[in-house]
Amino acid sequence: MSQTDHIGKGPNRVDGPLKVSGTAHYAGEFNVPNLAYGYVVNSPIAKGKVVQVHADEVLALPGVLAVYSHENVPHLAWFDRSYKDLLAPGGSPFRPLHSPDITFNQQPVALVMAETFELARYAAALLRVDYEQEKHETNLETKRTEGYLPGGGKLGYAPPPPPRGNPEKAWKNADQKIEAEYTHGAQHHNPMELFTSTVEWLGKDKITVYDKTQGVFNVQRYLTGVFGLSKDNCRVVSQFMGGGFGSGLRPQYSVFMATLAALELKRSVRVTLTRQQMFSIGHRPNTLQFVKLATNPDGSLASLQHHALHETSLFEDYTENVVNWSGMQYQCDNVKLGYQLAQLDVYSPQDMRAPGAATGNPGIEIAMDEMAYAAGLDPLEFRFRNYAERDQNVDKPFSSKKLRECYREGAAKFGWDKRPLEPRSMREGHLLTGWGMAGGVWDAMQMPSRASARITADGRLLVLSGAGENGAGTYTIMTQIAAETLGLPLEAVTFELGDTDQPQAPLQGGSWTAASVGTAVKNACDALGEKLLKLAQKQKDSPLKDADYDEVEFVNGQLRLRRDPDRAVVLRDLLQASGVTQVEAESTALPNMLKQNGYSLHSHNAVFAEVQVDEDLGTVRVTRVVNAVAAGRILNRKTARSQVLGGVVWGLSMALMEETIMDHKFGRYVNHNYAEYHIPVNADMPHIDVLFVHEDDDIVNPLGVKGIGEVGMLGVTAAIANAIFHATGKRVRDLPIMLDKLL
Amino acid sequence: MYPFTYSRATDVADAVRDKAGHGASAYLGGGTNLIDLMKYNVEQPAHLVNVAKLPLDKIEDLPDGGLRLGATATNADTAWNEQVKARYPMLNQAILAGASPQLRNAATNAGNLMQRTRCYYFYDIETPCNKREPGSGCSAIGGYNRIHAILGASEACIATHPSDMCVALAALAPTVRVSGPNGERSIAFEDFHRLPGDQPQYDNILAEGELITSLDLPEKGFAKNFTYLKLRDRHSYAFALVSVAVGLELEGNTITDARLALGGVAHKPWRDKSAEQLLKGQPATAETFGRVAAHVVANAVGQGSNDFKIELARRAIVRALQQATEGRQRATDAFLNSNP
Amino acid sequence: MSQLLTSAPHRGGLPAPVPTGPVRLHINGETRTLQLAPWTSLLDALREYAHLTGTKKGCDHGQCGACTVLVNGRRINSCLTLAVMHEDDDITTIEGLGTPDNLSPLQQAFVDHDAFQCGYCTPGQICSAQGLLNEGRAHSEAEIKELMSGNLCRCGAYTGILNAVQEVVAAQGEMVK
């Protein structure tokens, strides 16, 4: 029996003991000697110019080291391309401290450096800045008719597919139809850890940057481009990240500021943003959605139209895939999908957990609920009648799709069959109970990735890849993959990540890390395995003589022949006998385009939610959620479950609480703190059941894994909104559903 | 945060003297609001007198049958005090509905009275605010005002007092004892906080240098028929949109005495004595409750994003009166207190 | 039309920073004397001066609980208290509860129940849970949820946190249901 089968089980996180003991070090926790501290000053206006920065006044304070602004920042890279990171959308990236022009409220305008954090904070408060204010516009409502099609896209952006059939005619001719508008305001990622960079000065133009980022190579590319450093002299490290959710995909102005100051002061520097400043670094955009649906008499969809308009900045065309999902989620021959942007005097939006899908999903899934009611059908039955066996957007089959099983297993666990169709039919005193459901779909992606593996004579394996750990469990699943590939116990394996000195990994996002880095780790370990086999075969009287690599397996610390497990060598004995100190290998993993090209690659889920609404007071309590997920192979049941649990919390938050409120008079967010930007607390938690539906897929990648971080959030918001309708008979289309909308 | 000097007072006289000896100074209790505001540069004292460790942390019986809550007793120690739990459970529930366990462990009773509004614009020094910067204007009027006042506001300020504890105190009507450069005095709780008028920079009537030393609760605690109902945007760790404290005395189904106070609706904890009079002698019925609730909000004015609070407050009053009549504390937020 | 505006207008000059002085803190059973000015929060004193970075800064305003430490056994937000206020107090941080090789029962329960993802709120959650145990007032699931609500977790690990705390409360024989 194998004791080294780790994949699919649920071992504890290997980095757990560090995290629970306060010994995992985040970016702001490298207390290198002689640190100088920076504090950023932000614009109080949304549009205009900086006329003057009165730096001299605060420089007079003992201990204040420097004030940087556009007035004195040294010559940096000239061309836009130097500032373009891997996830930059079309347009010109924002350049901090570059010009006097103010294009959004809370734009950073100066950096104050001082001997201590407290002094830098104080000096920043004293710094007088004169502004010339111009009229701004931050209200998306004023741009309803001014939407435009984005020009250039960004990594992962796909324009909506061309229309199919004749959706408008089909809609007009149908008996049963609905038409509605769905909206939500801006939302901010708000990871628990503040954006921080500690830049260690190592002598002439050589630095190590400890940054909060979801991509050390992206930050290195940005810093080398902007500051003209060589890669050798600009090492970027991020071993732990206190939550990202997309906010760390692009380099933030904190790392620009810290690097600038370190190079100028020739000294180690730390810059930490405040929670308020965390509302100036990108957001899920304020979005308006318009959906039209119609059904045939048999309950099949006759027409599906979904259009979205969202804000972007004046300088970049931020794009995300909002509506495309609707065209693949249901079988329908008359489909029109539209997507437009509108420019406002705000900062560029930024990918935020399940970008695009988290927006479009509530749009289409609340509309589907409305359509089901208009057609007199149970919402789940309605989805079965419109199940898409094929991705009509691209006219390809799915590599695998177990959504039907998600619906069935989720419904069974939830007890959906006992649901009365009529709203307001479950009451206990003033509490109305409602049940709602929705489904979700997300891409299964794989990005190019590299990893190395090294085994030493003591039998310990070290695996490296410059990936990220922001809570998804990267350390743990990579350790499992490596250990299983080479037949080792988890304790014998160390996986290290988050360092540009390591083999290159992609950005940590899009739910692609398991597939991308996981495959690279497996490949590197297999490459190492082949070397070990050769080493074994060099031994006198080797029991594995003439065996091919695919005829052997690594199990329980042994290398053995599959068909005759008695013909085996003990790995540690082999290493010691052969006299080598170590064996290493490096490998690249690329998606197998040849294999994947004919297929649509996606993960799916189905969510069922129960709410209780106080009819008089409008208060909502979510009491139960079942989230059934089909995402290929589950590498670690414990950490995967946690990701889905977190997804439920995010969906609940979006349904009931989250919104960054813009005061259009100032063009400034007003609830820019954790006290008034509400995210759920423990007391808000429902009972949550997570089901993983078995799904085999050997097309998507060699591991058969699809990723779980985004899909687990989908469906939740709509299921809750639909449950509230079922409870109260009130259809709320403007998220979040706070109590006043139910009074 | 601006720089400040710091001292720790040894007794009340020392504290009053120390503060008077410095210009722009402040008393420092638990610090949970003052340090918060100093970090936002909203408060800029040049000197802090730490009074948190003065011997004012006792909770003790008063000869008249009341209970003295020491000024520096923490909110947590007050809420969980056996006397408070038994005799003033409304206060226990109100305190526990506020903030978080960590904040309640640090925050003092006096500090709870002294906490300032949570108005977004008051907190953001880049926006005009008459409370922070008299004469600069009120950004909340015509701005985003979900958490703002519907009762007793002025053209200068529509901020609310954010406390939960003070709403129960308004209903229980303690005396606030203070010491200052001119000696000691007692202030009725209902007089302690003020409405904004044209001087919203003043939250209360304390004179310069005065220090709260205790809250003296009267004997009557409404321990049988009471409720504290809090409505907010999440189920814990959020400020009240509307809260209602109710204490009733009943003979059969007839209300013989009543207290009614609201939170989240005004510049001060909003006790409505005329509503209390309307309740007295009336049967505890839905009809009575509806009439009284309508009376309380009759003069309420919405500001746009807080318009809903008028209807919410009306409904919350009815619910709170029902709950108090039934003699059960059942806030919809359901803090289950299994060891009262 | 443009309008001129100046941010941060000073009211009466630029007050000079206040000099530092020795502040004696008992942290995790050890007496440390740090050179601090009054304006240094307990949180910054721990992280930037005592180099105990286990205590986290999530908001710096008492709105998230990531900075929770135990002072004389009681949980408080270290961001909203000044270091100078805690001379002679006993301060326990996450580092004082256990080490990676010798985890406390709560720390082990957090690992076993996967009660975290990114780990950034975790030291505050655990210190808060330790405070909850010290208080002895949480006996049911609903009470644990309410009394752990002073700690935000953006990853949404609340179910694991509840289960971890439940396990330790139950092991102490204090669980009602």
Side-chain angles (χ1 to χ4, degrees), chain A residues 12-13 15-26 28-29 31 35 37 41 44-45 51 54 57-58 61-62 116-119 121-122 124-135 188-194 240-243 245 270 272 275 352-353 469-472 621 638-639 641-643 645-647 649-650 653 658 673-677 679-688, chain C residues 1-10 13-17 20 36-37 39-41 44-66 94-101 103-104 106-108 110-123 125-126 141-142 144-163:
Chain A
N12 285 343
R13 281 172 204 262
D15 51 344
L18 295 180
K19 285 177 174 170
V20 300
S21 61
T23 47
H25 291 298
Y26 299 79
E29 300 175 352
N31 285 334
L35 260 184
Y37 290 82
V41 177
I45 65 168
V51 179
H54 298 273
E57 294 173 353
V58 301
L61 287 173
T116 67
F117 165 72
E118 293 85 350
L119 184 59
R121 177 173 64 185
Y122 173 47
L126 293 179
L127 184 68
R128 271 197 311 137
V129 181
D130 299 334
Y131 298 91
E132 206 174 86
Q133 197 170 356
E134 290 167 33
K135 197 174 173 317
H188 282 81
H189 311 73
N190 273 309
M192 293 301 301
E193 183 194 16
L194 301 165
F240 290 97
M241 188 200 197
F245 315 110
R270 175 171 303 147
T272 305
R275 180 55 58 184
M352 177 164 160
R353 196 170 195 172
E469 161 56 29
N470 52 22
R621 180 176 283 282
K638 187 175 274 192
T639 57
R641 174 174 174 269
S642 290
Q643 276 189 284
L645 290 171
V649 177
W650 272 66
S653 189
E658 254 183 85
N673 56 64
Y674 264 152
E676 298 299 338
Y677 184 92
I679 60 171
V681 295
N682 214 319
D684 294 298
M685 284 306 103
H687 180 82
I688 307 170
Chain C
M1 269 300 284
S2 67
Q3 189 188 342
L4 274 171
L5 181 145
T6 300
S7 68
H10 319 139
L14 278 58
T20 61
L36 301 173
W39 66 5
T40 298
S41 69
D44 288 329
L46 292 169
R47 283 176 66 85
E48 307 294 340
Y49 296 83
H51 300 314
L52 289 167
T53 55
T55 307
K56 306 303 185 195
K57 183 183 280 191
C59 71
D60 217 14
H61 288 278
Q63 302 164 356
C64 78
I94 190 71
E95 291 95 339
L97 292 180
T99 60
D101 298 330
L103 298 177
S104 76
L106 263 175
Q107 289 170 319
Q108 187 61 52
F110 267 64
V111 174
D112 292 341
H113 290 276
D114 210 35
F116 53 89
Q117 291 187 46
C118 78
Y120 199 78
C121 75
T122 311
Q125 299 275 3
I126 293 172
E141 177 178 318
I144 293 173
K145 285 165 75 172
E146 169 61 30
L147 293 174
M148 284 301 294
S149 282
N151 294 80
L152 303 185
C153 170
R154 185 53 156 163
C155 297
Y158 295 120
T159 299
I161 292 165
L162 168 66
N163 294 338

Side-chain angles (χ1 to χ4, degrees), chain A residues 557-570:
Chain A
Q558 293 182 333
L559 171 56
R560 68 191 193 190
L561 208 57
R562 271 181 219 277
R563 61 172 183 272
D564 182 5
D566 288 340
R567 288 172 61 185
V569 293
V570 175

Side-chain angles (χ1 to χ4, degrees), chain A residues 104-410:
Chain A
F104 60 95
N105 207 311
Q106 280 212 78
Q107 177 177 324
V109 296
L111 172 70
V112 179
M113 294 301 308
E115 292 288 349
T116 67
F117 165 72
E118 293 85 350
L119 184 59
R121 177 173 64 185
Y122 173 47
L126 293 179
L127 184 68
R128 271 197 311 137
V129 181
D130 299 334
Y131 298 91
E132 206 174 86
Q133 197 170 356
E134 290 167 33
K135 197 174 173 317
H136 60 259
E137 186 55 75
T138 53
N139 190 349
L140 187 60
E141 289 294 334
T142 65
K143 302 279 181 174
R144 276 180 176 264
T145 58
E146 293 173 40
Y148 64 93
L149 294 164
K154 72 167 199 301
L155 180 70
Y157 171 67
R164 52 183 189 256
N166 193 333
E168 194 53 32
K169 188 176 159 205
W171 190 82
K172 284 206 177 94
N173 291 342
D175 288 339
Q176 305 295 346
K177 56 186 144 188
I178 61 131
E179 177 179 20
E181 181 175 324
Y182 305 90
T183 56
H184 67 71
Q187 300 168 5
H188 282 81
H189 311 73
N190 273 309
M192 293 301 301
E193 183 194 16
L194 301 165
F195 267 88
T196 307
S197 301
T198 305
V199 177
E200 186 177 15
W201 168 257
L202 299 167
K204 190 176 160 24
D205 290 342
K206 188 174 170 70
I207 53 174
T208 296
V209 180
Y210 300 95
D211 191 31
K212 177 182 173 73
T213 175
Q214 290 171 251
V216 288
F217 294 97
N218 198 26
V219 170
Q220 185 190 45
R221 170 198 167 111
Y222 175 80
L223 295 179
T224 53
V226 171
F227 293 100
L229 299 167
S230 73
K231 281 189 178 179
D232 288 344
N233 285 345
C234 181
R235 177 179 167 219
V236 181
V237 177
S238 174
Q239 293 162 340
F240 290 97
M241 188 200 197
F245 315 110
S247 62
L249 288 170
R250 302 186 67 186
Q252 292 292 5
Y253 64 75
S254 42
V255 74
F256 171 93
M257 299 276 183
T259 304
L260 171 78
L263 294 174
E264 289 297 300
L265 294 174
K266 305 193 185 313
R267 184 173 168 181
S268 297
V269 163
R270 175 171 303 147
V271 175
T272 305
L273 301 189
T274 64
R275 180 55 58 184
Q276 182 172 332
Q277 288 164 343
M278 297 287 281
F279 289 79
S280 65
I281 57 170
H283 54 280
R284 195 192 297 285
N286 181 13
T287 307
L288 311 177
Q289 300 181 64
F290 316 91
V291 181
K292 281 172 149 185
L293 298 175
T295 51
N296 297 310
D298 65 355
S300 62
L301 278 169
S303 174
L304 186 158
Q305 299 177 71
H306 190 176
H307 183 85
L309 168 73
H310 72 66
E311 62 182 344
T312 191
S313 63
L314 295 190
F315 46 91
E316 283 177 324
D317 278 354
Y318 169 79
T319 54
E320 56 184 29
N321 301 330
V322 179
V323 295
N324 302 13
W325 319 97
S326 302
M328 78 175 75
Q329 215 165 343
Y330 299 105
Q331 162 71 36
C332 184
D333 295 332
N334 298 298
V335 173
K336 186 171 179 225
L337 305 172
Y339 175 68
Q340 289 185 314
L341 307 183
Q343 289 188 331
L344 292 171
D345 296 304
V346 298
Y347 189 48
S348 296
Q350 179 167 219
D351 283 350
M352 177 164 160
R353 196 170 195 172
T359 295
N361 183 276
I364 190 67
E365 289 296 276
I366 297 173
M368 283 293 284
D369 201 68
E370 299 202 45
M371 190 67 243
Y373 274 93
L377 286 170
D378 171 81
L380 178 60
E381 172 60 25
F382 184 49
R383 283 166 174 84
F384 280 127
R385 291 196 192 179
N386 291 286
Y387 195 81
E389 298 288 359
R390 208 176 157 77
D391 180 350
Q392 288 181 288
N393 279 355
V394 289
D395 196 25
K396 288 178 183 175
F398 293 98
S399 64
S400 58
K401 178 177 176 177
K402 296 287 182 199
L403 177 59
R404 194 175 270 123
E405 289 74 7
C406 291
Y407 286 144
R408 284 189 183 137
E409 292 179 28

Side-chain angles (χ1 to χ4, degrees), chain B residues 14 27 52 109 204 215 256 281 304 323:
Chain B
D14 175 48
Y27 294 121
N109 288 335
N204 55 58
L215 305 171
T256 55
Q323 286 181 187

